[in-house]
Amino acid sequence: MSSLFGKKEIEKILPHRDPILLVDEVIEQGEDYIIAKKYINEDEPVLKGHFPDYPIYPGVYIIEGLAQSAGVLLLRNLEEGSIPLFLGIDEARFKKEVRPTCELIYEVKVVDKKGMVAIVEGKARVDGQLVAKAKLLVGVKKADGSSQGSQSEASSI
């Protein structure tokens, strides 16, 4: 699959930076979904300490990558400086190990939305095989400082 846009464009949307920016490129994006990619290399900083003799990409990083992909989806058309909020996680499951070197594909789809708070279903795949999945609650804090991801909004979805 060819890239829709790469890391430079993602850095214009998300406030994250290396080593915690976990989305390398966006492959496809629609109104309510996004497909993104992370290249898992042998030199990932986290792999130096996460089972160095048998490196496994941490599940929490996979979930964070799904949340960042959702952030790209929600923030893409908002003013610069808006911040994505990770408000909750449900039904997280890890199916297979993710090891270097591979391409981790994030698939995120909005299943419910109220204002700028959304529930998304995220799936992560390597070589077409499901490695992790979760439902995430995400929101946006606008650049002007107003929160669009309050707990009352979140609990009403």
Side-chain angles (χ1 to χ4, degrees):
M1 288 187 183
S2 64
S3 176
L4 189 59
F5 56 92
K7 205 162 192 174
K8 295 273 187 232
E9 290 83 7
I10 293 166
E11 287 178 341
K12 292 177 185 174
I13 300 167
L14 293 179
H16 305 77
R17 295 296 179 264
D18 286 329
I20 200 64
L21 178 58
L22 304 177
V23 181
D24 291 328
E25 62 184 82
V26 171
I27 299 167
E28 189 176 327
Q29 184 174 349
E31 190 173 317
D32 67 345
Y33 76 95
I34 190 168
I35 301 173
K37 184 186 294 186
K38 166 73 176 149
Y39 297 98
I40 309 299
N41 300 307
E42 292 173 340
D43 62 348
E44 296 288 332
V46 71
L47 297 178
K48 289 178 174 69
H50 197 248
F51 310 118
D53 295 330
Y54 187 82
I56 299 173
Y57 194 67
V60 295
Y61 275 52
I62 297 170
I63 299 299
E64 174 66 20
L66 289 168
Q68 288 181 20
S69 298
V72 171
L73 179 63
L74 292 177
L75 293 172
R76 182 93 197 272
N77 296 315
L78 293 181
E79 64 268 17
E80 198 169 312
S82 294
I83 304 288
L85 303 173
F86 192 169
L87 302 172
I89 181 170
D90 287 310
E91 301 176 32
R93 298 290 180 267
F94 303 99
K95 303 293 190 177
K96 293 185 177 283
E97 296 174 354
V98 175
R99 306 206 51 230
T101 58
C102 69
E103 294 179 2
L104 183 60
I105 305 296
Y106 303 122
E107 302 169 357
V108 176
K109 181 175 181 16
V110 175
V111 293
D112 198 3
K113 188 173 180 186
K114 180 178 181 186
M116 290 306 297
V117 175
I119 295 173
V120 301
E121 287 181 348
K123 294 180 181 177
R125 299 181 191 278
V126 173
D127 294 328
Q129 294 190 344
L130 184 67
V131 297
K133 65 180 182 174
K135 284 189 179 177
L136 308 176
L137 185 62
V138 293
V140 173
K141 183 172 186 171
K142 301 202 75 163
D144 65 9
S146 65
S147 180
Q148 295 288 318
S150 70
Q151 224 25 57
S152 62
E153 284 180 273
S155 63
S156 67
I157 289 186

